[in-house]
Amino acid sequence: MLEIQGVSLTMEEGQTAEILRHINLRLAEKKIYVITGPNGGGKSSLAKVIMGVYPPSEGKILLDGQDITSKTITERALLGLGYAFQNPPRFKGLKVKELVKLAASTNPDKLNIGDLLHDVGLCAQDYLDRDADASLSGGEMKRIEIATVLARKLKVAVFDEPEAGIDLWSFQRLAETFKFIHEKYDTTIIIISHQERILDLADEIILIANGEVSEQSAKDKILNKILKNEDCCSSQCEKGVIQDAEFAG
Amino acid sequence: MLSSLDKEMLEKVADLHEIPQGAYNIRRNGVGVQRNTTANIDIVTKKDKPGIDVIVKPYTTGESVHIPVIVTEENITDLVYNTFEIGAYSDVLVVAGCGIHNCGDQKSQHDGIHNFFVRKGAKLKYVEKHYGQGDGRGARVLNPKTIIEAEEGAVVELEMVQIKGIDNTLRETEVRLGDKAKLVLTERLLTYLGQEAQSKITVELNGVDSSAQIISRSVAQDESRQEFYFDLVGRNRARGHIQCDAIIMHAAQVLSTPRVSAYHSQAQLIHEAAIGRIESEQLVKLMSLGLSEKEAEDTILKGFLA
Ligand SMILES: Nc1ncnc2c1ncn2[C@@H]1O[C@H](COP(=O)(O)OP(=O)(O)OP(=O)(O)O)[C@@H](O)[C@H]1O
Ligand SMILES: [Mg+2]
């Protein structure tokens, strides 16, 4: 079980910005959670705090009761946390198969690298020997990123907008694949998404807006609220609010 | 006879585990020690200066020439002039590695001047690897100069690699391309400690529809320093593209000076250069797969220089 207790995140870039505020979440084993909410709400930031990329300014993170707040990214990875990036980095000179092999190297199960690519809708023979660099399309790189997380035996897997850039044809297969690893390894799956079809996979939906959890509940209860878009902005926001804005044209 | 040290050096610079197939000439500490020629490839010692002439007959295909140089003694300055005649419509691989093993306190230096004539329609792949080892304080210095004249329709692939142990290098490369001649040049360079490397590459697109692609990747670590000079000259309807990428670490310095010179309105010349640290997102990604920071860094650098 993953517990997030009173986690806040501030960043200093010129001025101090409060990105996450007192996040409390308990994520049980074998469940699929979908985190949704407006752009800039703090979803990816929360994922990065979980993975250890950003240290929280306040609060604790516990994995199966163990406090992992001060553990490094590597340590968390070895404890069974995984994160598929929203914008995966690319690597000059590193082949797709090398990247996926690295990902699979800590998995005690022997996995077929080609089948992993197949699971994310890529023809293995076309991609294994290609470089995981800028020559891949956005959707191709995104699928490879997902494959690197599917390759691992994880307690908690976070997928950051896995459907972004993925064509409809592959989408269905991806949904099946999530279910499959979920059952195979009892992984707690957290999917950050804006897509209703992904929301359908969820046991529970978590709504994050303005750096706070504004709701955590079953899907049907939350959907109405999302569609009404109540949590859009931190303060009232209408056209014309900024008086002396610059004008284009 | 080759010692085990000689063999180790040969493996590093020419991927040779045994005496190579095909034509070869092995030079050790300033003298030729072993040579083999084939029906189609002749190797002749120059009479007027140190070095060899390698003559590949027209229409020779699928053959290779290995000309490794090893320097295993200190206080040696070896200068050699090699000329390669790559006959029309032939298709050959030339591997010219140089390895220096210096355990002493004196300098070991090898300067090789390689002149290629790639005749009409011929295909040449030229691989040049540099490697240095030995724990002495004596400097290991390599200054290769490569001059290539590619005639009509010739295709030249050039691979230049220096990733270990050379303290000081000045590499000069000049390529002149005739009508429809094509060049693909890749350069890989790693420097560390106080090493210094300079690379000057000049490519002249003289012929109509000639093309050149130059891909240079380097990693500069510790207090090392790298300087790159590129000059891409278009004198005809031709295309040229330089891509120069450097990863800079620690207290290293990398200076890159590009020049593109067009003397023809249909010359298309592009130069791209980027110098930067390892992207932190790349490190984070690999660490999130369970690699330590050091392992992640090594993986990124190894791929980059592959
Ligand atoms: N490294 C950073 N430095 C400064 N501000 C940041 C940084 N990373 C994120 N932010 C800010 O934090 C807020 C939350 O960003 P985050 O990426 O977590 O949003 P998100 O919910 O994932 O949005 P989206 O749906 O668009 O992906 C945004 O306002 C963003 O600009
Ligand atoms: Mg995001």
Side-chain angles (χ1 to χ4, degrees), chain A residues 52-71:
Chain A
V53 182
Y54 298 151
S57 43
E58 258 189 316
K60 274 190 198 167
I61 299 163
L62 285 83
L63 181 67
D64 294 335
Q66 184 191 2
D67 188 343
I68 59 164
T69 319
S70 58
K71 297 227 179 286

Side-chain angles (χ1 to χ4, degrees), chain A:
Chain A
M1 180 168 57
L2 185 73
E3 282 172 89
I4 294 157
Q5 299 180 343
V7 161
S8 298
L9 175 68
T10 53
M11 291 227 227
E12 329 232 338
E13 223 150 86
Q15 66 202 58
T16 312
E18 212 175 17
I19 290 167
L20 296 174
R21 271 178 292 198
H22 302 292
I23 304 272
N24 286 296
L25 288 170
R26 289 167 71 90
L27 306 177
E29 267 140 57
K30 308 182 197 179
K31 284 207 170 172
I32 299 184
Y33 296 88
V34 173
I35 301 182
T36 191
N39 293 134
K43 303 178 295 296
S44 298
S45 303
L46 177 62
K48 287 179 183 169
V49 170
I50 293 172
M51 196 63 229
V53 182
Y54 298 151
S57 43
E58 258 189 316
K60 274 190 198 167
I61 299 163
L62 285 83
L63 181 67
D64 294 335
Q66 184 191 2
D67 188 343
I68 59 164
T69 319
S70 58
K71 297 227 179 286
T72 64
I73 301 172
T74 309
E75 287 166 334
R76 293 180 203 214
L78 297 175
L79 284 172
L81 296 186
Y83 174 49
F85 285 41
Q86 183 171 2
N87 297 307
R90 293 154 187 271
F91 297 86
K92 280 186 180 144
L94 196 65
K95 292 203 185 331
V96 170
K97 71 173 171 210
E98 292 168 329
L99 184 60
V100 181
K101 259 191 208 159
L102 273 179
S105 63
T106 55
N107 194 327
D109 296 342
K110 281 245 173 301
L111 296 178
N112 181 318
I113 305 293
D115 289 353
L116 276 169
L117 290 184
H118 188 78
D119 284 342
V120 292
L122 293 176
C123 287
Q125 62 271 30
D126 298 343
Y127 289 95
L128 285 174
D129 285 311
R130 281 186 65 176
D131 282 355
D133 64 8
S135 71
L136 292 169
S137 80
E140 288 167 338
M141 193 63 223
K142 192 77 188 180
R143 293 176 194 212
I144 290 159
E145 176 70 5
I146 294 165
T148 63
V149 175
L150 298 179
R152 309 185 56 219
K153 182 174 181 175
L154 295 171
K155 284 189 180 147
V156 179
V158 187
F159 296 92
D160 202 341
E161 301 197 18
E163 80 286 358
I166 302 260
D167 50 62
L168 284 172
W169 183 84
S170 317
F171 188 84
Q172 193 53 40
R173 147 172 274 144
L174 204 59
E176 283 162 23
T177 304
F178 283 135
K179 286 253 187 228
F180 178 73
I181 56 151
H182 178 57
E183 280 155 24
K184 187 170 168 202
Y185 293 133
D186 291 341
T187 305
T188 301
I189 295 186
I190 304 167
I191 308 173
I192 297 171
S193 177
H194 300 288
Q195 287 295 316
E196 203 178 337
R197 294 175 64 176
I198 290 263
L199 300 190
D200 280 337
L201 298 173
D203 294 310
E204 266 182 40
I205 293 175
I206 298 161
L207 186 57
I208 291 189
N210 303 316
E212 292 179 59
V213 176
S214 70
E215 184 115 23
Q216 175 178 7
S217 56
K219 184 200 157 207
D220 31 337
K221 288 190 196 149
I222 217 164
L223 213 54
N224 258 334
K225 184 166 177 170
I226 295 168
L227 295 175
K228 277 194 269 162
N229 207 7
E230 281 171 0
D231 288 298
C232 155
C233 301
S234 49
S235 53
Q236 209 199 355
C237 166
E238 281 170 50
K239 271 194 183 172
V241 163
I242 308 261
Q243 295 285 328
D244 51 358
E246 286 174 39
F247 290 91

Side-chain angles (χ1 to χ4, degrees), chain B:
Chain B
M1 265 305 286
L2 294 170
S3 70
S4 62
L5 173 62
D6 294 342
K7 285 185 180 158
E8 187 189 330
M9 301 301 287
L10 284 177
E11 197 182 318
K12 295 284 189 206
V13 297
D15 289 326
L16 293 179
H17 303 277
E18 288 300 323
I19 294 304
Q21 298 281 309
Y24 64 84
N25 186 78
I26 301 172
R27 182 179 177 90
R28 184 180 59 191
N29 297 324
V31 280
V33 289
Q34 270 190 34
R35 174 178 300 175
N36 187 47
T37 59
T38 70
N40 296 317
I41 301 177
D42 200 12
I43 300 177
V44 187
T45 305
K46 276 194 197 297
K47 300 213 169 56
D48 52 338
K49 49 193 174 185
I52 51 175
D53 290 331
V54 175
I55 301 135
V56 176
K57 279 191 189 159
Y59 298 99
T60 302
T61 60
E63 288 198 42
S64 63
V65 187
H66 285 79
I67 49 156
V69 170
I70 48 183
V71 179
T72 55
E73 285 169 8
E74 60 174 319
N75 202 10
I76 277 205
T77 298
D78 185 21
L79 171 67
V80 46
Y81 300 85
N82 295 333
T83 306
F84 300 78
E85 164 73 29
I86 310 294
Y89 302 103
S90 58
D91 182 351
V92 291
L93 165 71
V94 176
V95 180
C98 180
I100 297 185
H101 177 96
N102 186 349
C103 282
D105 294 334
Q106 307 281 323
K107 185 169 82 163
S108 303
Q109 177 168 347
H110 174 78
D111 297 349
I113 296 159
H114 293 187
N115 230 310
F116 286 86
F117 297 93
V118 187
R119 301 301 179 194
K120 193 173 173 180
K123 264 183 157 173
L124 165 71
K125 177 167 180 174
Y126 177 50
V127 179
E128 189 188 73
K129 280 192 183 172
H130 286 170
Y131 175 78
Q133 66 175 35
D135 36 27
R137 279 184 291 124
R140 298 172 291 258
V141 180
L142 280 176
N143 298 317
K145 180 162 186 171
T146 307
I147 302 159
I148 298 180
E149 311 274 350
E151 290 185 356
E152 186 184 341
V155 177
V156 178
E157 202 183 320
L158 213 62
E159 221 178 275
M160 310 191 296
V161 183
Q162 177 175 315
I163 47 181
K164 219 171 174 269
I166 302 301
D167 296 303
N168 203 304
T169 191
L170 167 61
R171 176 199 292 286
E172 288 173 280
T173 310
E174 286 171 25
V175 184
R176 283 179 275 279
L177 299 170
D179 290 353
K180 297 196 178 75
K182 188 178 164 189
L183 168 75
V184 177
L185 187 160
T186 52
E187 176 176 49
R188 297 288 181 268
L189 183 66
L190 171 77
T191 54
Y192 53 94
L193 300 174
Q195 296 172 354
E196 285 188 24
Q198 269 190 55
S199 173
K200 298 183 177 174
I201 297 177
T202 304
V203 175
E204 291 179 42
L205 298 157
N206 294 333
V208 65
D209 292 331
S210 56
S211 71
Q213 191 186 1
I214 296 143
I215 305 151
S216 165
R217 286 195 194 155
S218 72
V219 175
Q221 300 177 320
D222 304 323
E223 288 84 46
S224 66
R225 181 182 162 99
Q226 302 179 351
E227 280 182 46
F228 295 93
Y229 299 88
F230 298 96
D231 194 1
L232 187 58
V233 185
R235 296 189 205 280
N236 215 320
R237 186 179 77 203
R239 289 163 176 272
H241 190 165
I242 302 173
Q243 237 177 310
C244 166
D245 254 304
I247 292 179
I248 184 165
M249 300 167 74
H250 316 127
Q253 298 179 356
V254 179
L255 289 78
S256 183
T257 310
R259 193 165 87 161
V260 283
S261 327
Y263 298 94
H264 193 282
S265 65
Q266 290 190 71
Q268 281 190 46
L269 310 173
I270 300 172
H271 182 277
E272 290 176 273
I275 303 175
R277 293 189 308 168
I278 295 180
E279 284 173 43
S280 69
E281 292 274 287
Q282 292 179 336
L283 287 170
V284 166
K285 173 66 205 172
L286 296 183
M287 289 191 283
S288 78
L289 298 178
L291 276 69
S292 69
E293 188 168 357
K294 179 81 176 71
E295 288 166 342
E297 198 178 280
D298 289 348
T299 302
I300 293 163
L301 296 182
K302 197 170 149 240
F304 185 71
L305 292 174

